[in-house]
Amino acid sequence: MHKLLAGGVAMLIAGSAWAASVQEVGDRYMKLVLAVGQHDASYVDAYYGPPLLQEQAAREKLSLAAIRSEAEAARKALPPAGADTDGDEALRIAFLDKQLQSMVMRVDMLNGKKFTFDEETATMYNAVAPQHSRAYYLELQDRIGKLLGGEGPLADRVKAFRARVEIPKDKLRPVMEAAIRACRERTAKYIAMPANESFVLEFVQNQPWSGYNWYKGDAHSLIQINTEFPIYIDRAVDLGCHEGYPGHHVYNALLEQTLVKGKGWQEFSVYPLYSPMSLVAEGSANYGILMAFTPEERMAYERDVLYPLAGLDPALAEKYAALTQLFGKLAYADNDAARAYLDGKATRAQTVEWLVNVLLYPPEKAEQRIRFYDANRGYVINYTVGADLVGDYVKRHATSADPDTARAQRWTAFRQLLSSPRLAGSLR
């Protein structure tokens, strides 16, 4: 039998339902996320709430069985949204329900229970990725091949061209700082950030990811870029927007400003990585690239600013921009590779072959990507399905025929999304 402490009031939860306010469930949810973090080091992606709660989680070290029981009880205790429930409050209730549901699944996975890729993503991220065969990607590969020209395996031709747009190691910092600055300036035209917002940029190695934002609270982030493998010129804007502006840094800062400080919803001071929240986080970070730059604006900026700064030939910019847009259309091949590999339908060697010859990854990067699958499983759908859902949601709000007005409308919808407890269900 376990006692649930919420708002200083002890409520018996074992064996019976209990009534609670949304705030009480939110408080308990926050403590349970920290409790899961005692069993799964990667589960708590960010926390900037009271240190006392972290200390309590470490001291109590609730068992997985206790966490599961309390999470299910907390879901049942959520009051239903009524006709007079405020819109954001209704979203908050739905948020807590889905987050707690995903927590139960994560606990089951930590206990050794197996799920298929699609079963996992349906509950964990509230979405399922479409599935495509190898033949689906052949037309895209033909277009890439025609754009590149030349002879030989397509993967080799892609690798040779990319070598011409690799950022030299000694140019990485100035190029990345310039890209982040441009992303920040473009975002600032439409989103007012907290006055004290800031970030630190670090370069690291030996990670399964290419970039990461570690949100520290009080509108401050640590942005890390993995330099283990070559970084090509397009990744400067990609990472600058995705990890910084208007991506993860902006998303976390606005949630803190609007929900934690503005509404007192303390549950948003903790971010469980394996949860529906990540579909919106990664989806908005990926779609944020298109919010900051149209394809034409991006190509011009890279050609006129980043290529010279990196010591690369600006004459390559137009062709490489066309190439990267085609690469983007291959993105769902990543989900297909992860699904087949994690469901046991493809071996590691077969998955490497798919990544190299379908997704056109360099062989060494393919191995890194499989390490990401091993570590994060179905998380990969958040970059693709998430970006599509966010993009569809934002574009629905752009009703004006005037391009400038429509762009402002997209930014308004995007800013509201980043400041609210929306999950996939409320984007559809």
Side-chain angles (χ1 to χ4, degrees):
M1 183 175 291
H2 303 281
K3 289 186 176 180
L4 175 61
L5 295 177
V9 179
M11 293 173 287
L12 194 64
I13 67 168
S16 63
W18 50 277
S21 68
V22 180
Q23 186 65 54
E24 287 169 335
V25 176
D27 288 346
R28 189 53 188 170
Y29 157 82
M30 179 169 58
K31 295 173 184 177
L32 288 172
V33 172
L34 296 175
V36 177
Q38 295 298 308
H39 299 271
D40 181 354
S42 59
Y43 186 69
V44 181
D45 189 71
Y47 177 67
Y48 49 89
L52 181 64
L53 294 186
Q54 280 183 312
E55 297 166 7
Q56 179 182 342
R59 185 172 59 252
E60 293 181 350
K61 201 170 177 62
L62 287 179
S63 69
L64 290 173
I67 294 169
R68 192 185 196 285
S69 175
E70 295 196 7
E72 288 191 319
R75 271 192 85 196
K76 292 176 182 176
L78 269 171
D84 59 344
T85 305
D86 172 78
D88 276 355
E89 188 77 359
L91 289 173
R92 183 191 188 190
I93 292 169
F95 173 90
L96 285 167
D97 179 63
K98 292 298 184 184
Q99 292 289 109
L100 285 163
Q101 183 183 25
S102 74
M103 181 187 295
V104 170
M105 172 176 270
R106 187 63 183 176
V107 168
D108 285 344
M109 293 170 71
L110 292 172
N111 265 326
K113 188 171 182 179
K114 304 297 183 184
F115 299 93
T116 67
F117 184 87
D118 288 345
E119 286 172 343
E120 177 189 335
T121 65
T123 296
M124 195 73 73
Y125 307 113
N126 198 209
V128 174
Q131 188 168 356
H132 304 294
S133 69
R134 193 179 189 116
Y136 174 85
Y137 300 105
L138 289 180
E139 188 269 338
L140 284 170
Q141 291 198 338
D142 287 343
R143 292 167 63 185
I144 291 171
K146 289 175 182 176
L147 178 63
L148 284 174
E151 301 292 334
L154 182 57
D156 292 345
R157 285 184 281 154
V158 167
K159 184 176 181 179
F161 189 87
R162 277 177 164 157
R164 301 171 69 189
V165 292
E166 179 184 345
I167 305 171
K169 295 289 187 185
D170 63 336
K171 303 291 188 182
L172 267 178
R173 181 168 288 279
V175 169
M176 283 304 312
E177 287 178 345
I180 294 174
R181 187 162 54 247
C183 298
R184 187 181 197 176
E185 289 169 356
R186 288 167 173 271
T187 299
K189 293 179 183 178
Y190 299 96
I191 295 180
M193 291 286 286
N196 62 321
E197 66 91 9
S198 64
F199 69 91
V200 170
L201 178 65
E202 287 185 355
F203 295 97
V204 299
Q205 290 196 339
N206 301 317
Q207 298 294 339
W209 37 257
S210 56
Y212 213 105
N213 179 295
W214 303 97
Y215 191 69
K216 304 298 184 180
D218 199 26
H220 178 72
S221 289
L222 169 63
I223 296 175
Q224 291 184 327
I225 307 299
N226 187 359
T227 63
E228 183 178 358
F229 300 112
I231 298 177
Y232 306 112
I233 195 68
D234 61 302
R235 295 297 287 154
V237 166
D238 280 353
L239 291 168
C241 288
H242 184 101
E243 307 299 344
Y245 307 84
H248 291 318
H249 176 64
V250 175
Y251 176 61
N252 284 297
L254 291 185
L255 285 183
E256 180 181 16
Q257 180 185 51
T258 307
L259 302 184
V260 178
K261 294 182 177 179
K263 293 180 176 290
W265 294 357
Q266 294 301 315
E267 68 265 26
F268 286 91
S269 63
V270 66
Y271 172 19
L273 187 65
Y274 305 114
S275 73
M277 194 175 178
S278 283
L279 183 132
V280 175
E282 299 294 359
S284 61
N286 260 9
Y287 192 74
I289 302 165
L290 285 171
M291 292 296 301
F293 293 87
T294 66
E296 296 77 18
E297 289 169 344
R298 175 173 175 172
M299 192 278 291
Y301 173 73
E302 290 174 340
R303 179 195 64 210
D304 298 341
V305 178
L306 297 187
Y307 275 77
L309 192 57
L312 302 176
D313 182 3
L316 298 172
E318 186 172 353
K319 185 174 183 178
Y320 190 52
L323 191 62
T324 55
Q325 287 187 51
L326 290 175
F327 288 154
K329 296 179 186 295
L330 285 172
Y332 273 98
D334 183 45
N335 295 175
D336 292 321
R339 179 189 285 108
Y341 172 69
L342 293 168
D343 282 349
K345 295 178 180 178
T347 65
R348 190 180 192 90
Q350 289 170 330
T351 306
V352 167
E353 189 277 332
W354 174 281
L355 290 172
V356 170
N357 293 314
V358 178
L359 201 52
L360 302 175
Y361 261 50
E364 64 276 13
K365 285 279 287 182
E367 287 289 348
Q368 182 201 40
R369 194 59 179 165
I370 291 178
R371 297 205 312 269
F372 188 93
Y373 299 160
D374 286 333
N376 299 292
R377 297 189 52 82
Y379 193 91
V380 295
I381 76 155
N382 296 324
Y383 302 98
T384 48
V385 179
D388 285 347
L389 284 174
V390 170
D392 290 344
Y393 173 83
V394 167
K395 286 181 281 191
R396 284 200 303 272
H397 289 77
T399 56
S400 175
D402 176 69
D404 291 337
T405 302
R407 188 171 196 169
Q409 289 174 332
R410 287 193 296 273
W411 273 103
T412 296
F414 191 74
R415 182 181 65 247
Q416 290 171 343
L417 168 61
L418 299 188
S419 306
S420 73
R422 291 186 181 276
L423 298 177
S426 60
L427 297 181
R428 295 186 175 98

